Amino acid sequence: MKTHFLRITVCLLLQAAVWLPTFSQTQHLLPADQEIPLEYGAERLGKRTDAAMQKFRDNRLGAFIHWGLYAIPGGEWKGKVYPGAAEWLKSWAEVPANEWMELMKQWNPQNFDAKAWARMARKMGVKYVKITTKHHEGFCLWPSQYSEYTVAQTPYKKDILGELVKAYNDEGIDVHFYFSVMDWSHPDYRYDIRSEEDEAAFRRFLEFTDNQLKELASRYPTVKDFWFDGTWDASIKKNGWWTAHVEKMLKEMLPGVTVNSRLRADDYGKRHFDSNGHLMGDYESGYERRLPDPVKDLKVTRWDWEACMTVPENQWGYHKDWSLSYVKTPLEVLERIVHAVSMGGNMVVNFGPQPDGDFRREEKELAAFIGRWMDKYGECIYGCDYAGWEKQDWGYYTRKGDDVYMVVFNPPYSGRLVVKTPPETVLQEAVLTNGGGKVKVTETARHEYNVDMPARNPGEPFVIKLKVGKTTGGTDKYREALT
Ligand code: JFZ
């Protein structure tokens, strides 16, 4: 009887252990006393506070580079154009790996000039660039000794990644490495582990991946970040220990390095956030092509996050036909950058270079547009954070220390920009950045103001810097009386 009871209890406990993680949805934290023990959960609670993380955060604006063999067909295989993501063409057209790798014979980007890429990035105002060292296809942009599918085995021969790291660093730009764990070229990769054979193959695969990561970290020690991708398969979720090991390994090799949340799975295969709801890795990288919900996700200030976006819809690699989907205008791209910073995050704008090593005209124009704006108004972006003020229809607030910035995207016909300050905060002065001088501030109610539009509408999104003070004397009693 007793043993029977025990058996049931053990069964129930085991079941609870299996179910708990599925019930605790991503960001909902469990009360501390209900947390379950995890060996491979978050390595830390809350934001990192060290200088390297602060640099990552202050950078705010980055560029993504998706460049690989997929740039050569540019979305077209055997006369058929596939509208899906160009870097997934091998999958859309069901091309076998050996046939796909034939593309290596054509990898000879004659117009590739790392220095020109770095100049373009600096002029755009990005403080870091994330480069696809290896995308799902398995082709390596560096001469990896662990793979036969690398730049070294192409007519071009040279180490593209090495050239880029040097060129960007010379321009004062941080380099981040994108790395896809899923590798379509490797015979030992498994989507799931269903047999002992799978188990053994996947062990070998993880060892191969460790070797490639160690190789990257030691060949290019100035790398500041690893952004992992291709980590959603059951095989990896069943090996959460390995994702924790990789995070640790890289951090031991490269002190200060940052790692995104997409790498990680915990003991129960829970990704990004562990089974207790704590962010794994150093920043959330789940916001892809979308931004956090301003209401639901105001949690964004509780941890660091980075969003990345494409310019055409869901095209990361070079696709020859941009007419197949909506293409964001430079102004929209700009607005999303500001929007992300206003909510305390980073934004990364994607580029898919052509097979010849140059950028398409639209991307060059976009980079130039963003750069011209950043040059004039960048002080409301770099080093800025969520301001915590009530959002208004004219645009976005950002904050740096005591300064609050209004970034005006939609000037109202009334010509007045409404500002509501938080309790005990008064507006003292409003100054156009970029040398535009003061604009008039009129108090309309307690903690409510109208800020005048500049005498001449700048005709582009513009920035007003607010000087704020604390209320001296007086209380909020009147407002309280209204509640
Ligand atoms: C991945 C890749 O498959 C894609 O090619 C590109 O490199 C992108 C940056 O990352 O695609 C994803 C991954 C995750 C999500 C969506 C697309 N997601 O979590 O919504």
Side-chain angles (χ1 to χ4, degrees):
M1 182 63 199
K2 221 176 176 178
T3 44
H4 188 60
F5 177 71
L6 238 173
R7 210 174 294 148
I8 293 181
T9 320
V10 170
C11 266
L12 281 174
L13 275 174
L14 276 176
Q15 257 186 12
V18 174
W19 278 106
L20 257 176
T22 24
F23 280 134
S24 62
Q25 282 305 309
T26 38
Q27 306 82 358
H28 299 297
L29 298 179
L30 290 169
D33 60 348
Q34 284 174 32
E35 288 199 355
I36 57 172
L38 293 170
E39 206 169 331
Y40 308 113
E43 65 159 35
R44 172 200 71 249
L45 301 185
K47 293 184 179 184
R48 254 172 69 172
T49 53
D50 57 288
M53 190 70 217
Q54 190 56 43
K55 175 69 165 65
F56 174 99
R57 202 177 283 135
D58 287 346
N59 281 344
R60 285 302 183 222
L61 176 63
F64 223 135
I65 300 279
H66 274 75
W67 206 30
L69 296 178
Y70 42 80
I72 297 168
E76 181 179 343
W77 198 257
K78 296 193 170 148
K80 189 172 171 211
V81 175
Y82 293 78
E87 74 283 2
W88 276 76
L89 181 65
K90 177 187 176 299
S91 172
W92 309 142
E94 297 175 12
V95 187
N98 57 344
E99 197 183 329
W100 184 260
M101 288 306 178
E102 290 287 301
L103 288 168
M104 281 169 56
K105 293 183 186 149
Q106 294 175 59
W107 182 267
N108 199 6
Q110 289 302 318
N111 298 326
F112 174 63
D113 176 355
K115 285 190 185 135
W117 285 30
R119 269 196 305 276
M120 174 171 154
R122 174 175 46 80
K123 283 195 184 146
M124 178 180 170
V126 299
K127 300 294 181 194
Y128 62 105
V129 177
K130 299 181 110 80
I131 310 171
T132 49
T133 58
K134 180 180 85 165
H135 204 265
H136 310 333
E137 64 179 5
F139 177 65
C140 304
L141 281 192
W142 81 102
S144 174
Q145 63 173 108
Y146 303 100
S147 169
E148 48 187 309
Y149 308 124
T150 84
V151 280
Q153 269 72 251
T154 65
Y156 187 74
K157 287 198 178 70
K158 284 178 278 180
D159 176 4
I160 299 255
L161 189 61
E163 287 186 48
L164 285 173
V165 170
K166 174 154 192 337
Y168 285 127
N169 285 172
D170 285 350
E171 290 285 1
I173 293 169
D174 288 342
V175 172
H176 295 190
F177 285 168
Y178 165 106
F179 185 92
S180 170
V181 177
M182 175 171 76
D183 185 330
W184 293 332
S185 77
H186 202 289
D188 288 333
Y189 186 73
R190 293 291 180 279
Y191 293 89
D192 200 354
I193 313 291
R194 294 210 184 83
S195 66
E196 268 174 36
E197 199 279 326
D198 284 345
E199 179 86 48
F202 203 62
R203 281 275 168 170
R204 289 195 297 274
F205 179 77
L206 293 181
E207 218 178 290
F208 152 76
T209 307
D210 277 0
N211 283 334
Q212 285 209 318
L213 290 171
K214 282 190 237 164
E215 188 180 40
L216 283 171
S218 48
R219 283 183 65 103
Y220 314 102
T222 63
V223 60
K224 294 288 182 277
D225 172 90
F226 278 80
W227 196 96
F228 286 94
D229 194 20
T231 44
W232 45 75
D233 286 327
S235 50
I236 292 160
K237 287 197 265 182
K238 287 177 180 173
N239 284 284
W241 67 271
W242 177 79
T243 69
H245 145 81
V246 165
E247 182 176 352
K248 237 202 200 135
M249 175 181 90
L250 292 173
K251 285 179 176 177
E252 274 165 22
M253 288 185 76
L254 303 163
V257 78
T258 50
V259 174
N260 69 337
S261 65
R262 192 175 284 181
L263 165 68
R264 296 283 276 104
D266 76 359
D267 313 39
Y268 297 95
K270 184 92 178 48
R271 299 186 56 238
H272 294 278
F273 291 85
D274 70 19
S275 298
N276 292 318
H278 302 301
L279 181 74
M280 295 182 285
D282 300 312
Y283 60 97
E284 187 181 8
S285 55
Y287 297 113
E288 187 179 276
R289 289 176 286 130
R290 68 190 172 91
L291 286 160
D293 181 293
V295 182
K296 271 198 308 215
D297 297 343
L298 269 189
K299 54 151 179 118
V300 292
T301 54
R302 289 218 312 260
W303 50 76
D304 289 296
W305 58 271
E306 176 191 76
C308 51
M309 71 174 145
T310 57
V311 179
E313 203 43 49
N314 193 23
Q315 289 292 351
W316 299 91
Y318 172 77
H319 195 294
K320 58 180 73 169
D321 190 354
W322 270 20
S323 76
L324 297 173
S325 78
Y326 178 72
V327 178
K328 291 179 192 82
T329 66
L331 261 176
E332 280 180 277
V333 171
L334 178 65
E335 183 161 359
R336 284 176 201 226
I337 294 166
V338 176
H339 194 168
V341 176
S342 79
M343 289 193 288
N346 288 22
M347 180 54 96
V348 184
V349 183
N350 182 68
F351 293 80
Q354 298 169 167
D356 69 352
D358 202 355
F359 290 87
R360 70 201 308 146
R361 184 181 48 81
E362 296 94 324
E363 289 185 344
K364 287 184 187 169
E365 284 171 6
L366 171 68
F369 174 91
I370 301 288
R372 278 193 299 272
W373 196 88
M374 289 298 159
D375 204 32
K376 283 196 204 164
Y377 304 106
E379 68 170 284
C380 72
I381 300 294
Y382 308 120
C384 288
D385 211 333
Y386 173 62
W389 289 21
E390 185 185 318
K391 190 181 176 324
Q392 302 298 328
D393 291 337
W394 44 254
Y396 306 92
Y397 290 112
T398 66
R399 174 200 283 273
K400 183 157 45 197
D402 290 336
D403 294 324
V404 172
Y405 295 99
M406 301 168 62
V407 192
V408 182
F409 273 85
N410 306 303
Y413 284 109
S414 65
R416 303 247 164 148
L417 305 161
V418 174
V419 170
K420 296 185 183 173
T421 55
E424 277 151 44
T425 310
V426 288
L427 202 54
Q428 289 172 336
E429 197 178 82
V431 186
L432 292 159
T433 68
N434 197 31
K438 283 187 198 176
V439 280
K440 201 172 124 207
V441 175
T442 314
E443 188 172 4
T444 52
R446 192 166 172 76
H447 297 303
E448 290 187 23
Y449 304 84
N450 281 342
V451 172
D452 274 12
M453 282 284 292
R456 193 196 299 173
N457 188 329
E460 65 182 358
F462 62 94
V463 179
I464 301 174
K465 183 163 154 177
L466 303 177
K467 288 267 168 248
V468 297
K470 289 281 165 210
T471 35
T472 46
T475 61
D476 280 338
K477 287 291 172 226
Y478 178 66
R479 184 178 265 195
E480 280 164 23
L482 299 178
T483 62

